[in-house]
Amino acid sequence: MTTLLFSSGTFFFLKGKLSQSYSGTAYALQGGGCTAGCAFCAQSRFSSSRDMLSRVKWYPMDLDEAKGRMGAFKRFCLQTVYRPGFREEALEVMKKVNTKGKSLTTVPVEGLEEFAEAGVDYIGVGLDTTEDMFTRISKPFPFSRYMEFIEEAVEVFGKRRVYVHLVFGLGEKSEDFLSLMERIYSMGAEVALFAFTPVKGTLMQDMSPPSIQDYRVVQTVRYYLSRGYPLSRIIKDGKLLLPSERYHFNTSGCPTCDRPFYNESPKDKELYNIPKVMRD
Ligand code: SF4
């Protein structure tokens, strides 16, 4: 029996009946916690909030039961942790789940072809931060291994089907963050942007999240990079290219990805990442 944890934001029950909120993606997380110690992460071995990932609470459900309820979703997104057996379990889950789209977000793993054969069509890479920050954050693999993994993943899944997760506001230099995004796009991958969210019980619980203004700059840069602009054109003489569309503050990620209220409370006046359904 495999138990997964499901995000309260997209897969929840009212009076015992499945009730789907607006996301087309079912978000699942491997149980058991992570053996890595990333300082910001609620799944880290140093965290006392392992029922959380970012500010979202997750609830256990058996895979076989969950599988039968997947019809309402276009995509299944599995976030792995890093612990013994995580790869085999993730592969088994991906073979069983029958949604049309399947995304896997993970640390560097061997044998990506097997995941592709199991129907995974998009992959997320938990790079999270810039090279300078790797020791401070305590990432489980060297920066170079993540970069190799991104290359391998682009080869297996194709260009623009690899989403590198980056968390803005962990204490990195802004210029390093922007250059890293440009490097990721030059490799044929995409960036899924997150705003650092201090979670109670983690090593970084007392830090502040980034300002919304700084985050808007990073979102605007990501938006233009994803449309093929070089960084030198996006920021010229210290001036940021103005956004030309309304949608550049939307959540970035695989098709149908919304990650609702992952970085902010629904009560907040301004959302870091605006779920697509709320954009109009
Ligand atoms: S490897 Fe991923 S799940 Fe594990 S502590 Fe780091 S960020 Fe969290």
Side-chain angles (χ1 to χ4, degrees):
M1 189 170 108
T2 306
T3 303
L4 295 175
L5 304 170
F6 283 89
S7 149
S8 53
T10 52
F11 198 53
F12 65 102
F13 296 88
L14 284 177
K15 294 184 182 148
K17 278 184 140 187
L18 175 68
S19 162
Q20 191 197 347
S21 65
Y22 43 71
S23 185
T25 302
Y27 295 96
L29 167 67
Q30 268 184 330
C34 190
T35 56
C38 301
F40 64 91
C41 180
Q43 289 300 307
S44 130
R45 68 175 189 274
F46 299 119
S47 163
S48 58
S49 304
R50 279 178 149 185
D51 55 345
M52 310 283 283
L53 189 59
S54 196
R55 60 169 293 288
V56 179
K57 205 164 173 181
W58 300 69
Y59 298 90
M61 194 192 297
D62 178 58
L63 173 61
D64 289 323
E65 189 193 346
K67 197 188 134 194
R69 296 171 185 265
M70 284 293 160
F73 297 97
K74 294 194 175 87
R75 177 164 294 276
F76 172 76
C77 169
L78 178 65
Q79 163 84 52
T80 77
V81 292
Y82 180 49
R83 59 157 164 73
F86 83 96
R87 182 193 176 278
E88 291 66 32
E89 185 189 277
L91 189 57
E92 182 204 320
V93 170
M94 287 309 195
K95 282 180 184 166
K96 275 195 173 179
V97 167
N98 49 8
T99 44
K100 193 157 170 262
K102 298 183 200 178
S103 302
L104 176 80
T105 296
T106 188
V107 293
V109 283
E110 303 297 327
L112 283 175
E113 292 81 3
E114 275 189 89
F115 285 96
E117 280 161 25
V120 173
D121 56 348
Y122 280 80
I123 187 143
V125 180
L127 176 68
D128 297 323
T129 192
T130 59
E131 187 168 11
D132 268 15
M133 293 288 294
F134 253 54
T135 314
R136 199 169 138 200
I137 296 298
S138 240
K139 294 293 296 170
F141 297 91
F143 184 82
S144 56
R145 177 65 193 111
Y146 283 89
M147 296 319 265
E148 277 167 21
F149 183 62
I150 295 167
E151 274 174 16
E152 289 161 21
V154 171
E155 259 180 43
V156 174
F157 294 93
K159 286 193 173 183
R160 319 297 292 260
R161 283 178 175 258
V162 178
Y163 273 86
V164 180
H165 289 208
L166 290 183
V167 182
F168 179 70
L170 291 169
E172 72 288 325
K173 293 189 201 106
S174 289
E175 59 271 29
D176 289 353
F177 196 93
L178 301 185
S179 310
L180 177 58
M181 287 206 295
E182 186 177 44
R183 183 170 169 191
I184 289 166
Y185 276 98
S186 75
M187 294 166 79
E190 284 270 351
V191 170
L193 259 189
F194 296 79
F196 165 59
T197 306
V199 180
K200 214 170 159 206
T202 61
L203 294 176
M204 294 177 92
Q205 64 173 12
D206 296 324
M207 275 183 55
S208 302
S211 75
I212 199 91
Q213 292 80 4
D214 288 350
Y215 193 67
R216 293 291 185 242
V217 171
V218 177
Q219 282 176 305
T220 304
V221 171
R222 190 213 68 83
Y223 174 88
Y224 280 118
L225 287 171
S226 75
R227 278 149 186 82
Y229 289 60
L231 189 53
S232 56
R233 244 189 96 194
I234 303 169
I235 303 181
K236 209 171 177 190
D237 303 326
K239 281 199 190 129
L240 181 69
L241 208 60
L242 283 177
S244 61
E245 284 186 39
R246 304 160 54 203
Y247 300 152
H248 58 288
F249 302 147
N250 284 146
T251 307
S252 43
C254 311
T256 75
C257 181
D258 275 336
R259 291 193 305 270
F261 310 115
Y262 203 70
N263 291 151
E264 61 282 285
S265 159
K267 291 186 215 141
D268 286 350
K269 234 165 79 193
E270 279 208 80
L271 309 179
Y272 286 105
N273 296 307
I274 303 170
K276 287 182 191 97
V277 77
M278 293 174 71
R279 69 189 178 188
D280 300 318

